[in-house]
Amino acid sequence: MRFVFLGAPGAGKGTQAELVASRFHQPKISTGDILREAVRNKTALGLQAKACLDQGKLVPDAVVVGIVKEKLAEPMCAKGFLLDGFPRTIRQAEELAELLRSRGERLDRVLNVVVPRDVVIRRLTGRRSCLKCQAVFHVELNPPRRAGICDRCGGELVQRSDDKTETVEARLSVYEQQTAPLVDYYRQRDLLSELDGSGRIEEVHQRVLGLLSAKGLA
Ligand code: AMP
């Protein structure tokens, strides 16, 4: 399985990629998670990326391509991987294609998770994640048993700095300008499958599974 999960911020691509990854025992590579961890740990990468993340801007292509190259070189990615949040620009997609070519591999499918804008805004601004274990909740759609406390580990739930309303608007316009062109890019290469990402997590997951099995990919 060599898949890309594409979609606007808040479309649920990370959640769906995670479910597919654990069901089929494939590694999931999320550039957003890697960058956030680097920011938390104040590594050189984190210090370089922090301002972009805080403002909802994209980290430079060369930086994220470097991250993905390193990850894909790990033995666990030899037989397959799911990419979540990468590529996000045409340049990144071209670099990915070149990297896979050099490994004698190609993408099997790009799943575009589509959700209306108002739903995306509601999902993002209500999202809360655990400071300790990074589990994700939503104040209305997937609330924790006790407000502000992680069900899984008891850690404190906080809002991602880039999920604040002002930054969400910036991220959505970055998506429209820089990432949305990838939909046509992959459609022209006959790799794109569109998927309705509205509704409950489990419903969307069933749609993902249906689509993969229709394509003979799972
Ligand atoms: P995400 O968790 O996928 O929404 O990513 C959070 C933030 O990380 C984005 O708003 C960007 O600042 C940065 N980021 C993640 N993936 C990429 C990428 N492929 N290219 C550039 N920046 C990225």
Side-chain angles (χ1 to χ4, degrees):
M1 279 187 175
R2 293 187 181 90
F3 296 155
V4 165
F5 281 77
L6 201 66
K13 57 189 185 309
T15 305
Q16 295 303 326
E18 183 67 50
L19 290 171
V20 173
S22 60
R23 186 175 187 111
F24 297 103
H25 310 288
Q26 298 288 315
K28 180 189 87 152
I29 300 169
S30 160
T31 42
D33 285 350
I34 293 169
L35 290 165
R36 272 186 295 281
E37 192 185 343
V39 170
R40 271 197 305 278
N41 295 333
K42 300 193 169 63
T43 63
L45 169 67
L47 295 174
Q48 190 184 357
K50 186 173 185 321
C52 292
L53 265 81
D54 285 348
Q55 294 164 34
K57 293 185 181 154
L58 295 187
V59 170
D61 288 335
V63 174
V64 277
V65 168
I67 293 173
V68 171
K69 270 191 185 161
E70 242 176 58
K71 276 283 163 192
L72 291 187
E74 290 179 8
M76 66 169 186
C77 293
K79 293 224 172 78
F81 50 80
L82 279 74
L83 291 171
D84 157 31
F86 180 94
R88 256 177 156 100
T89 63
I90 298 279
R91 175 79 200 279
Q92 291 177 19
E94 285 171 346
E95 295 258 11
L96 175 64
E98 183 51 42
L99 174 62
L100 294 181
R101 235 188 327 270
S102 72
R103 293 160 56 108
E105 298 172 358
R106 63 189 300 270
L107 287 177
D108 294 311
R109 209 73 209 151
V110 176
L111 279 85
N112 184 29
V113 185
V114 183
V115 170
R117 189 183 164 93
D118 57 326
V119 176
V120 156
I121 292 179
R122 180 160 166 237
R123 283 186 182 174
L124 288 174
T125 52
R127 182 158 71 175
R128 300 291 180 272
S129 48
C130 175
L131 268 182
K132 254 205 240 163
C133 76
Q134 274 71 60
V136 179
F137 299 85
H138 189 283
V139 290
E140 294 165 56
L141 308 170
N142 176 28
R145 284 191 292 270
R146 286 172 58 205
I149 308 286
C150 177
D151 286 355
R152 219 202 267 170
C153 77
E156 184 190 349
L157 298 181
V158 294
Q159 185 174 41
R160 263 171 56 172
S161 60
D162 59 349
D163 280 346
K164 304 224 157 53
T165 311
E166 323 77 82
T167 321
V168 161
E169 294 288 345
R171 287 165 68 201
L172 289 175
S173 69
V174 165
Y175 169 78
E176 285 304 330
Q177 284 163 27
Q178 303 196 58
T179 308
L182 288 178
V183 173
D184 274 341
Y185 175 92
Y186 283 122
R187 188 179 289 123
Q188 282 158 13
R189 285 157 183 77
D190 250 343
L191 282 170
L192 191 83
S193 290
E194 305 248 37
L195 184 98
D196 174 9
S198 52
R200 287 183 304 110
I201 291 172
E202 186 52 35
E203 275 165 18
V204 182
H205 180 50
Q206 291 307 321
R207 277 177 220 141
V208 173
L209 295 180
L211 195 153
L212 295 182
S213 95
K215 292 274 171 204
L217 293 168

